[in-house]
Amino acid sequence: MTRPDGIPALAGAQAPERATRKGTGWYAVTGLSAGAFGVGAASLLAWILDTLSGATRSADPLVAVGGWIVDGVPPAVKAAAVNLFGTADKTALWCGLALVVGAIFAGLGVLAARAPRLALGGVTVVVAIAALIVATRPDAAAMSALPTVGGGGVWAVLLAGWIGDRADQQHAGIGQPGLTDRRSVLRLAAGAAAVSAVPIGRGLTAGSGAQTARASIVLPTAGATAPAAAAADLCTPGALPWQTPASAFFRIDTALRVPSVDPATWSLRVIGEVEREIVLTWAELLRKPLVERWVTLACVSNEVGGDLVGNARWLGWPVRELLAQAGPRAGADMVLSRSIDGWTAGTPLTALTDDRDALLAIGMNGQPLPANHGFPVRLVVPGLYGYVSATKWVTELKVTRFETDQGYWTPRGWSAFGPVKTASRIDVPRSGREVRAGTVAVAGVAWDTGRGIAAVQVRIDDGPWQPARLGDEPATSAWRQWVYTWDAQPGSHTVTVRAQDGTGQWQTADVRPSDPDGATGLHTITVRVV
């Protein structure tokens, strides 16, 4: 067989267009491999830069881009994501980001087989955008963009080297991807998988340094212990415990990689409109008169009946004592707290200086704070949603004014003030389940961490409201368990709960979404009695 130009054709050779189409999948895999090598190289360079500089913040482009996405999410989208994925919201974000980035890598690989220069131009644009995002993050340093640029260079060189020459051959009709080429691509893919394990490994080991430091800490004895809570738990079968274990406590924050903070180098600055600026170290904090308090924390994104709420025993130093030493100036009405990763919360000054015992917390349920809950120090403020108060890995308190400063979520559409609304939830029986006719325990929790809970009532179908039995209330800042004994009759029934706060005000039945300042409505379930 000869080609039209008289040159003998290779056995099994195909037309260039057909060969190119046949090799598209291999070009996509090669492009994906080149991009994975680049990401792995960038993550490795970021780790080296962080290690040499002693930084606790990462210049990793994936983390920066992920944070940039979180920053730009509208309140409604953020609330929907949290409600859909719950505490797996970050995992969902990482998976989505990986799919998008992988599609870009593969697409540029295919493009490189046809138009190498255009593909390299696309690489340049993607790297430039990522570098700009990294350089403009709140925690960016002078050289933060270097790992991104370096990883982009690796990506471009490999993409050009692996695909460029082969694409030229294909367009010239000289050959096609053969077995040797495919084996090469598979080897490259395997190598890319190994290198891309760098960012994956960094994500999986996030906070490991903090965990090591945490293991050596012995918490001081509290000068004032939390009230006894044995009678607070009604021990209803199937209901959640009154005290939430740290492992089951919800985690909602913007940290895509858990900060690793060494207590030996941690410090807290009090600045702004104060008479005296203060720097508090870890060793000094441990010597302060610490107190224990029961406090229930709730996320503003928690929907009616949701589980983004938990109750724990916190150990810490009252923030009001620290602020008293600093001396807030007249006119100041807000404290802007800052996390080590740059996240901020704007908290009313009165909430940190009144008698509610807002804490610089170092302990949770008798143990040092877990890394993902703010180790070594975080803020715990009763009566406020976390987005305006519960700063983890806290490093700065700036006494200021609401007219001057804003916390992280306020310019993104959430209310500047976030008082916790009265809420109640049915934990057993579960909605949609079947129960046996006869005596059925309907149980759950209710909370108003500013005013406490005075009463809980349950309604079956459209019947009258009936009082539930309450567990003890060791602190108004903690939720309260309740149980109602129901004589369940066969059929399908709705069960609704409502709570009354410590001032006598009943929980509103008006249904509103979580944005901009917390959801409202009555939790209702449906059960079938057989």
Side-chain angles (χ1 to χ4, degrees):
M1 181 183 295
T2 59
R3 289 170 27 177
D5 56 7
I7 301 175
L10 297 175
Q14 303 176 21
E17 293 81 2
R18 183 181 176 188
T20 301
R21 288 196 299 271
K22 187 174 181 180
T24 296
W26 296 105
Y27 290 131
V29 172
T30 304
L32 183 61
S33 300
F37 260 104
V39 169
S43 184
L44 180 60
L45 291 171
W47 175 76
I48 294 173
L49 181 63
D50 292 345
T51 302
L52 293 177
S53 63
T56 56
R57 307 162 189 174
S58 177
D60 193 308
L62 282 181
V63 176
V65 172
W68 176 75
I69 293 173
V70 172
D71 290 354
V73 169
V77 176
K78 183 255 185 184
V82 170
N83 290 324
L84 179 61
F85 300 108
T87 55
D89 58 335
K90 295 173 184 61
T91 301
L93 174 60
W94 280 124
C95 291
L97 185 59
L99 289 174
V100 172
V101 171
I104 292 173
F105 291 163
L108 288 174
V110 173
L111 179 62
R114 295 164 172 77
R117 292 183 180 179
L118 186 59
L120 291 177
V123 171
T124 302
V125 171
V126 172
V127 172
I129 293 173
L132 179 63
I133 291 174
V134 172
T136 54
R137 297 298 296 158
D139 57 355
M143 296 189 294
S144 290
L146 288 182
T148 302
V149 175
V154 171
W155 177 20
V157 169
L158 293 178
L159 188 65
W162 293 348
I163 291 183
D165 292 341
R166 193 64 204 171
D168 290 341
Q169 293 177 4
Q170 285 296 97
H171 284 297
I174 298 175
Q176 63 177 336
L179 183 60
T180 302
D181 297 307
R182 295 179 181 182
R183 285 175 176 171
S184 298
V185 170
L186 290 175
R187 285 196 295 268
L188 295 174
V195 175
S196 62
V198 174
I200 295 174
R202 293 194 69 190
L204 293 176
T205 58
S208 59
Q211 294 288 17
T212 301
R214 178 178 179 269
S216 63
I217 290 176
V218 177
L219 292 176
T221 301
T225 58
D233 198 323
L234 296 175
C235 300
T236 304
L240 299 176
W242 183 79
Q243 177 178 313
T244 309
S247 59
F249 209 94
F250 76 95
R251 179 202 165 196
I252 299 293
D253 53 49
T254 63
L256 297 182
R257 177 172 292 157
V258 176
S260 182
V261 185
D262 184 353
T265 61
W266 174 88
S267 65
L268 175 68
R269 300 170 62 233
V270 182
I271 62 174
E273 296 188 36
V274 293
E275 297 299 330
R276 294 165 297 280
E277 293 193 354
I278 293 176
V279 176
L280 178 70
T281 67
W282 173 254
E284 292 170 337
L285 179 56
L286 293 183
R287 292 194 295 268
K288 299 297 182 182
L290 306 181
V291 301
E292 279 187 336
R293 293 293 182 264
W294 294 108
V295 180
T296 294
L297 298 183
C299 179
V300 69
S301 295
N302 194 47
E303 292 292 342
V304 174
D307 60 358
L308 300 181
V309 58
N311 183 57
R313 177 167 52 95
W314 306 93
L315 172 70
W317 187 39
V319 182
R320 64 172 177 269
E321 297 184 20
L322 175 62
L323 292 177
Q325 292 180 7
R329 292 175 182 161
D333 60 3
M334 188 253 271
V335 173
L336 189 72
S337 55
R338 184 177 300 274
S339 169
I340 197 168
D341 64 354
W343 188 85
T344 57
T347 309
L349 178 61
T350 53
L352 299 177
T353 55
D354 60 18
D355 60 0
R356 74 182 67 193
D357 280 337
L359 300 177
L360 283 173
I362 64 171
M364 180 181 187
N365 292 337
Q367 298 293 325
L369 291 173
N372 60 355
H373 287 296
F375 179 83
V377 185
R378 65 168 294 165
L379 283 178
V380 172
V381 185
L384 298 178
Y385 288 118
Y387 82 103
V388 295
S389 66
T391 304
K392 302 174 183 177
W393 315 288
V394 63
T395 60
E396 183 179 279
L397 301 180
K398 179 184 177 183
V399 178
T400 180
R401 308 179 188 212
F402 280 102
E403 64 184 24
T404 304
D405 286 301
Q406 292 180 313
Y408 178 91
W409 285 112
T410 303
R412 292 170 173 82
W414 297 83
S415 173
F417 304 95
V420 174
K421 294 178 170 61
T422 308
S424 54
R425 186 182 73 199
I426 301 171
D427 289 336
V428 289
R430 302 294 183 185
S431 188
R433 300 288 179 85
E434 288 187 349
V435 298
R436 295 287 184 182
T439 301
V440 173
V442 180
V445 289
W447 63 92
D448 185 314
T449 57
R451 296 170 292 270
I453 294 296
V456 171
Q457 292 181 339
V458 174
R459 182 176 64 195
I460 307 299
D461 299 322
D462 294 323
W465 288 102
Q466 300 291 338
R469 179 169 63 89
L470 298 176
D472 278 3
E473 187 178 51
T476 58
S477 55
W479 63 15
R480 201 165 186 182
Q481 284 193 343
W482 58 268
V483 62
Y484 171 71
T485 302
W486 173 32
D487 182 15
Q489 300 299 313
S492 181
H493 300 278
T494 60
V495 183
T496 306
V497 64
R498 69 175 181 177
Q500 183 187 62
D501 69 23
T503 68
Q505 185 70 34
W506 284 102
Q507 175 184 352
T508 180
D510 294 341
V511 178
R512 294 186 179 181
S514 60
D515 63 294
D517 60 357
T520 61
L522 303 182
H523 189 208
T524 299
I525 66 169
T526 300
V527 294
R528 180 170 180 78
V529 180
V530 295

PDB file of all heavy atoms in Angstrom, residues 334-358:
ATOM      1  N   MET A 334     -17.807  47.543  69.237  1.00  0.00           N
ATOM      2  CA  MET A 334     -17.604  46.261  68.571  1.00  0.00           C
ATOM      3  C   MET A 334     -16.177  45.776  68.777  1.00  0.00           C
ATOM      4  O   MET A 334     -15.259  46.580  68.928  1.00  0.00           O
ATOM      5  CB  MET A 334     -17.891  46.399  67.074  1.00  0.00           C
ATOM      6  CG  MET A 334     -17.886  45.057  66.337  1.00  0.00           C
ATOM      7  SD  MET A 334     -16.447  44.807  65.294  1.00  0.00           S
ATOM      8  CE  MET A 334     -17.031  45.520  63.762  1.00  0.00           C
ATOM      9  N   VAL A 335     -16.028  44.457  68.817  1.00  0.00           N
ATOM     10  CA  VAL A 335     -14.699  43.844  68.854  1.00  0.00           C
ATOM     11  C   VAL A 335     -14.569  42.975  67.611  1.00  0.00           C
ATOM     12  O   VAL A 335     -15.373  42.061  67.398  1.00  0.00           O
ATOM     13  CB  VAL A 335     -14.485  42.994  70.121  1.00  0.00           C
ATOM     14  CG1 VAL A 335     -13.153  42.241  70.034  1.00  0.00           C
ATOM     15  CG2 VAL A 335     -14.500  43.886  71.358  1.00  0.00           C
ATOM     16  N   LEU A 336     -13.595  43.284  66.786  1.00  0.00           N
ATOM     17  CA  LEU A 336     -13.314  42.507  65.587  1.00  0.00           C
ATOM     18  C   LEU A 336     -12.254  41.472  65.939  1.00  0.00           C
ATOM     19  O   LEU A 336     -11.083  41.795  66.110  1.00  0.00           O
ATOM     20  CB  LEU A 336     -12.829  43.406  64.457  1.00  0.00           C
ATOM     21  CG  LEU A 336     -12.705  42.751  63.080  1.00  0.00           C
ATOM     22  CD1 LEU A 336     -14.089  42.480  62.499  1.00  0.00           C
ATOM     23  CD2 LEU A 336     -11.902  43.618  62.126  1.00  0.00           C
ATOM     24  N   SER A 337     -12.681  40.212  66.077  1.00  0.00           N
ATOM     25  CA  SER A 337     -11.738  39.141  66.397  1.00  0.00           C
ATOM     26  C   SER A 337     -11.212  38.534  65.095  1.00  0.00           C
ATOM     27  O   SER A 337     -11.947  38.399  64.122  1.00  0.00           O
ATOM     28  CB  SER A 337     -12.402  38.070  67.261  1.00  0.00           C
ATOM     29  OG  SER A 337     -13.574  37.577  66.641  1.00  0.00           O
ATOM     30  N   ARG A 338      -9.938  38.171  65.115  1.00  0.00           N
ATOM     31  CA  ARG A 338      -9.287  37.666  63.902  1.00  0.00           C
ATOM     32  C   ARG A 338      -8.645  36.319  64.166  1.00  0.00           C
ATOM     33  O   ARG A 338      -7.957  36.124  65.168  1.00  0.00           O
ATOM     34  CB  ARG A 338      -8.234  38.669  63.416  1.00  0.00           C
ATOM     35  CG  ARG A 338      -7.566  38.280  62.086  1.00  0.00           C
ATOM     36  CD  ARG A 338      -6.590  39.355  61.641  1.00  0.00           C
ATOM     37  NE  ARG A 338      -7.257  40.629  61.458  1.00  0.00           N
ATOM     38  CZ  ARG A 338      -7.874  40.999  60.336  1.00  0.00           C
ATOM     39  NH1 ARG A 338      -7.899  40.163  59.309  1.00  0.00           N
ATOM     40  NH2 ARG A 338      -8.457  42.180  60.260  1.00  0.00           N
ATOM     41  N   SER A 339      -8.874  35.389  63.229  1.00  0.00           N
ATOM     42  CA  SER A 339      -8.254  34.078  63.288  1.00  0.00           C
ATOM     43  C   SER A 339      -6.879  34.120  62.634  1.00  0.00           C
ATOM     44  O   SER A 339      -6.568  35.040  61.873  1.00  0.00           O
ATOM     45  CB  SER A 339      -9.140  33.060  62.561  1.00  0.00           C
ATOM     46  OG  SER A 339      -8.471  31.840  62.380  1.00  0.00           O
ATOM     47  N   ILE A 340      -6.067  33.116  62.914  1.00  0.00           N
ATOM     48  CA  ILE A 340      -4.737  33.075  62.335  1.00  0.00           C
ATOM     49  C   ILE A 340      -4.779  32.961  60.817  1.00  0.00           C
ATOM     50  O   ILE A 340      -3.828  33.326  60.128  1.00  0.00           O
ATOM     51  CB  ILE A 340      -3.915  31.915  62.939  1.00  0.00           C
ATOM     52  CG1 ILE A 340      -2.426  32.117  62.666  1.00  0.00           C
ATOM     53  CG2 ILE A 340      -4.411  30.570  62.421  1.00  0.00           C
ATOM     54  CD1 ILE A 340      -1.535  31.207  63.460  1.00  0.00           C
ATOM     55  N   ASP A 341      -5.899  32.479  60.263  1.00  0.00           N
ATOM     56  CA  ASP A 341      -6.007  32.370  58.810  1.00  0.00           C
ATOM     57  C   ASP A 341      -6.688  33.578  58.186  1.00  0.00           C
ATOM     58  O   ASP A 341      -7.014  33.573  56.999  1.00  0.00           O
ATOM     59  CB  ASP A 341      -6.738  31.080  58.415  1.00  0.00           C
ATOM     60  CG  ASP A 341      -8.183  31.052  58.889  1.00  0.00           C
ATOM     61  OD1 ASP A 341      -8.594  31.972  59.627  1.00  0.00           O
ATOM     62  OD2 ASP A 341      -8.899  30.092  58.537  1.00  0.00           O
ATOM     63  N   GLY A 342      -6.906  34.639  58.970  1.00  0.00           N
ATOM     64  CA  GLY A 342      -7.442  35.883  58.444  1.00  0.00           C
ATOM     65  C   GLY A 342      -8.937  36.056  58.582  1.00  0.00           C
ATOM     66  O   GLY A 342      -9.460  37.142  58.316  1.00  0.00           O
ATOM     67  N   TRP A 343      -9.671  35.018  59.009  1.00  0.00           N
ATOM     68  CA  TRP A 343     -11.122  35.134  59.165  1.00  0.00           C
ATOM     69  C   TRP A 343     -11.452  36.074  60.329  1.00  0.00           C
ATOM     70  O   TRP A 343     -10.730  36.114  61.338  1.00  0.00           O
ATOM     71  CB  TRP A 343     -11.721  33.752  59.433  1.00  0.00           C
ATOM     72  CG  TRP A 343     -13.221  33.720  59.410  1.00  0.00           C
ATOM     73  CD1 TRP A 343     -14.023  33.590  58.334  1.00  0.00           C
ATOM     74  CD2 TRP A 343     -14.098  33.827  60.553  1.00  0.00           C
ATOM     75  NE1 TRP A 343     -15.344  33.590  58.704  1.00  0.00           N
ATOM     76  CE2 TRP A 343     -15.416  33.752  60.070  1.00  0.00           C
ATOM     77  CE3 TRP A 343     -13.885  33.983  61.915  1.00  0.00           C
ATOM     78  CZ2 TRP A 343     -16.526  33.803  60.902  1.00  0.00           C
ATOM     79  CZ3 TRP A 343     -14.988  34.052  62.757  1.00  0.00           C
ATOM     80  CH2 TRP A 343     -16.291  33.966  62.256  1.00  0.00           C
ATOM     81  N   THR A 344     -12.536  36.839  60.207  1.00  0.00           N
ATOM     82  CA  THR A 344     -12.896  37.800  61.245  1.00  0.00           C
ATOM     83  C   THR A 344     -14.369  37.682  61.632  1.00  0.00           C
ATOM     84  O   THR A 344     -15.200  37.229  60.842  1.00  0.00           O
ATOM     85  CB  THR A 344     -12.637  39.248  60.781  1.00  0.00           C
ATOM     86  OG1 THR A 344     -13.377  39.492  59.565  1.00  0.00           O
ATOM     87  CG2 THR A 344     -11.156  39.490  60.541  1.00  0.00           C
ATOM     88  N   ALA A 345     -14.661  38.106  62.847  1.00  0.00           N
ATOM     89  CA  ALA A 345     -16.042  38.174  63.338  1.00  0.00           C
ATOM     90  C   ALA A 345     -16.218  39.480  64.081  1.00  0.00           C
ATOM     91  O   ALA A 345     -15.359  39.875  64.879  1.00  0.00           O
ATOM     92  CB  ALA A 345     -16.360  36.998  64.259  1.00  0.00           C
ATOM     93  N   GLY A 346     -17.317  40.157  63.835  1.00  0.00           N
ATOM     94  CA  GLY A 346     -17.623  41.392  64.540  1.00  0.00           C
ATOM     95  C   GLY A 346     -18.613  41.129  65.653  1.00  0.00           C
ATOM     96  O   GLY A 346     -19.780  40.804  65.390  1.00  0.00           O
ATOM     97  N   THR A 347     -18.182  41.262  66.897  1.00  0.00           N
ATOM     98  CA  THR A 347     -19.001  40.940  68.065  1.00  0.00           C
ATOM     99  C   THR A 347     -19.329  42.200  68.843  1.00  0.00           C
ATOM    100  O   THR A 347     -18.430  43.025  69.085  1.00  0.00           O
ATOM    101  CB  THR A 347     -18.243  39.964  68.993  1.00  0.00           C
ATOM    102  OG1 THR A 347     -17.773  38.856  68.235  1.00  0.00           O
ATOM    103  CG2 THR A 347     -19.138  39.483  70.117  1.00  0.00           C
ATOM    104  N   PRO A 348     -20.590  42.390  69.243  1.00  0.00           N
ATOM    105  CA  PRO A 348     -20.909  43.556  70.070  1.00  0.00           C
ATOM    106  C   PRO A 348     -20.027  43.578  71.318  1.00  0.00           C
ATOM    107  O   PRO A 348     -19.853  42.547  71.983  1.00  0.00           O
ATOM    108  CB  PRO A 348     -22.383  43.356  70.433  1.00  0.00           C
ATOM    109  CG  PRO A 348     -22.931  42.510  69.316  1.00  0.00           C
ATOM    110  CD  PRO A 348     -21.798  41.602  68.927  1.00  0.00           C
ATOM    111  N   LEU A 349     -19.481  44.726  71.633  1.00  0.00           N
ATOM    112  CA  LEU A 349     -18.608  44.857  72.802  1.00  0.00           C
ATOM    113  C   LEU A 349     -19.335  44.443  74.073  1.00  0.00           C
ATOM    114  O   LEU A 349     -18.749  43.813  74.964  1.00  0.00           O
ATOM    115  CB  LEU A 349     -18.112  46.301  72.912  1.00  0.00           C
ATOM    116  CG  LEU A 349     -17.213  46.641  74.097  1.00  0.00           C
ATOM    117  CD1 LEU A 349     -15.929  45.825  74.062  1.00  0.00           C
ATOM    118  CD2 LEU A 349     -16.898  48.138  74.111  1.00  0.00           C
ATOM    119  N   THR A 350     -20.627  44.757  74.154  1.00  0.00           N
ATOM    120  CA  THR A 350     -21.387  44.419  75.361  1.00  0.00           C
ATOM    121  C   THR A 350     -21.459  42.909  75.577  1.00  0.00           C
ATOM    122  O   THR A 350     -21.488  42.444  76.719  1.00  0.00           O
ATOM    123  CB  THR A 350     -22.810  44.978  75.269  1.00  0.00           C
ATOM    124  OG1 THR A 350     -23.414  44.537  74.034  1.00  0.00           O
ATOM    125  CG2 THR A 350     -22.798  46.511  75.284  1.00  0.00           C
ATOM    126  N   ALA A 351     -21.490  42.124  74.489  1.00  0.00           N
ATOM    127  CA  ALA A 351     -21.567  40.672  74.628  1.00  0.00           C
ATOM    128  C   ALA A 351     -20.287  40.087  75.204  1.00  0.00           C
ATOM    129  O   ALA A 351     -20.292  38.976  75.734  1.00  0.00           O
ATOM    130  CB  ALA A 351     -21.860  40.034  73.273  1.00  0.00           C
ATOM    131  N   LEU A 352     -19.187  40.827  75.117  1.00  0.00           N
ATOM    132  CA  LEU A 352     -17.911  40.357  75.630  1.00  0.00           C
ATOM    133  C   LEU A 352     -17.563  40.948  76.990  1.00  0.00           C
ATOM    134  O   LEU A 352     -16.578  40.536  77.609  1.00  0.00           O
ATOM    135  CB  LEU A 352     -16.790  40.691  74.631  1.00  0.00           C
ATOM    136  CG  LEU A 352     -16.918  40.047  73.246  1.00  0.00           C
ATOM    137  CD1 LEU A 352     -15.788  40.526  72.337  1.00  0.00           C
ATOM    138  CD2 LEU A 352     -16.927  38.536  73.337  1.00  0.00           C
ATOM    139  N   THR A 353     -18.369  41.887  77.448  1.00  0.00           N
ATOM    140  CA  THR A 353     -18.051  42.555  78.713  1.00  0.00           C
ATOM    141  C   THR A 353     -19.146  42.414  79.764  1.00  0.00           C
ATOM    142  O   THR A 353     -18.954  42.822  80.905  1.00  0.00           O
ATOM    143  CB  THR A 353     -17.788  44.055  78.472  1.00  0.00           C
ATOM    144  OG1 THR A 353     -18.908  44.640  77.788  1.00  0.00           O
ATOM    145  CG2 THR A 353     -16.538  44.261  77.636  1.00  0.00           C
ATOM    146  N   ASP A 354     -20.307  41.825  79.394  1.00  0.00           N
ATOM    147  CA  ASP A 354     -21.360  41.663  80.397  1.00  0.00           C
ATOM    148  C   ASP A 354     -21.129  40.362  81.174  1.00  0.00           C
ATOM    149  O   ASP A 354     -20.069  39.761  81.102  1.00  0.00           O
ATOM    150  CB  ASP A 354     -22.753  41.718  79.749  1.00  0.00           C
ATOM    151  CG  ASP A 354     -22.968  40.635  78.700  1.00  0.00           C
ATOM    152  OD1 ASP A 354     -22.209  39.643  78.700  1.00  0.00           O
ATOM    153  OD2 ASP A 354     -23.888  40.775  77.866  1.00  0.00           O
ATOM    154  N   ASP A 355     -22.154  39.920  81.918  1.00  0.00           N
ATOM    155  CA  ASP A 355     -21.970  38.782  82.822  1.00  0.00           C
ATOM    156  C   ASP A 355     -22.275  37.430  82.174  1.00  0.00           C
ATOM    157  O   ASP A 355     -22.419  36.432  82.876  1.00  0.00           O
ATOM    158  CB  ASP A 355     -22.837  38.957  84.066  1.00  0.00           C
ATOM    159  CG  ASP A 355     -24.323  39.055  83.726  1.00  0.00           C
ATOM    160  OD1 ASP A 355     -24.670  38.989  82.519  1.00  0.00           O
ATOM    161  OD2 ASP A 355     -25.136  39.191  84.658  1.00  0.00           O
ATOM    162  N   ARG A 356     -22.335  37.359  80.859  1.00  0.00           N
ATOM    163  CA  ARG A 356     -22.662  36.078  80.218  1.00  0.00           C
ATOM    164  C   ARG A 356     -21.462  35.127  80.150  1.00  0.00           C
ATOM    165  O   ARG A 356     -21.581  33.998  79.696  1.00  0.00           O
ATOM    166  CB  ARG A 356     -23.201  36.317  78.815  1.00  0.00           C
ATOM    167  CG  ARG A 356     -22.152  36.727  77.790  1.00  0.00           C
ATOM    168  CD  ARG A 356     -22.771  36.987  76.432  1.00  0.00           C
ATOM    169  NE  ARG A 356     -23.622  38.156  76.452  1.00  0.00           N
ATOM    170  CZ  ARG A 356     -24.481  38.466  75.479  1.00  0.00           C
ATOM    171  NH1 ARG A 356     -24.592  37.673  74.417  1.00  0.00           N
ATOM    172  NH2 ARG A 356     -25.227  39.547  75.554  1.00  0.00           N
ATOM    173  N   ASP A 357     -20.292  35.579  80.552  1.00  0.00           N
ATOM    174  CA  ASP A 357     -19.085  34.751  80.558  1.00  0.00           C
ATOM    175  C   ASP A 357     -18.670  34.293  79.159  1.00  0.00           C
ATOM    176  O   ASP A 357     -18.525  33.095  78.880  1.00  0.00           O
ATOM    177  CB  ASP A 357     -19.242  33.534  81.471  1.00  0.00           C
ATOM    178  CG  ASP A 357     -19.029  33.899  82.936  1.00  0.00           C
ATOM    179  OD1 ASP A 357     -18.356  34.919  83.191  1.00  0.00           O
ATOM    180  OD2 ASP A 357     -19.524  33.180  83.807  1.00  0.00           O
ATOM    181  N   ALA A 358     -18.487  35.262  78.257  1.00  0.00           N
ATOM    182  CA  ALA A 358     -17.817  34.963  76.999  1.00  0.00           C
ATOM    183  C   ALA A 358     -16.380  34.569  77.335  1.00  0.00           C
ATOM    184  O   ALA A 358     -15.727  35.208  78.162  1.00  0.00           O
ATOM    185  CB  ALA A 358     -17.835  36.184  76.086  1.00  0.00           C
TER     186      ALA A 358
END
